[in-house]
Amino acid sequence: MDAVFDFAHDVTNSIAREHPLYERACRLPELVKASDPIIHHTFDAGEGVLIPGEILHHAEKGCRAFVILQPFGCLPNHVVGRGISKKLKELYPDAQILPLDYDPDVSFANIENRLQMLIMNAKGDIQRRTESAASAKAKTREKQSNKLVTAH
């Protein structure tokens, strides 16, 4: 089955490479290996190694807001989703990680409010980064113009 999957993956990649926004997909063994600093791959209950592996993969590419959605009754996902957050925050202090338990007892309003808070915080982070970058560019331009003035 691995050979069939690899063949299908390779065919899909060869087609997708033609698109200008193509980015090679991360394969399962790579995700599993990437999660080892957070939770060793031998603890593979539920999506135990996939959750931190995918978060690390996307965090390396700049993503800073993550929702870990734990379905009703999946204790391994619940434990991993909550347990990995501290280590991931150490690696990416500006990351927002929201573990959400999605079960019949949780009110829709609670889930919606927590998601809205994540989105509002992410928007605020983007705005602060944009303002900081604009400020840095303005300071650089000011220094360059000062050099030009003193050179003349």
Side-chain angles (χ1 to χ4, degrees), residues 47-68:
E47 282 86 34
V49 293
L50 295 179
I51 294 170
E54 288 182 337
I55 290 174
L56 289 170
H57 172 75
H58 292 292
E60 288 172 4
K61 297 181 182 306
C63 184
R64 291 295 181 267
F66 303 94
V67 176
I68 303 171

Side-chain angles (χ1 to χ4, degrees), residues 14-45:
S14 67
I15 294 167
R17 261 188 218 106
E18 296 175 16
H19 193 277
L21 298 177
Y22 168 77
E23 190 173 310
R24 184 184 165 279
C26 188
R27 293 194 174 185
L28 184 64
E30 295 166 1
L31 284 176
V32 170
K33 186 176 180 182
S35 71
D36 278 353
I38 307 292
I39 183 169
H40 196 268
H41 67 271
T42 56
F43 301 103
D44 62 353

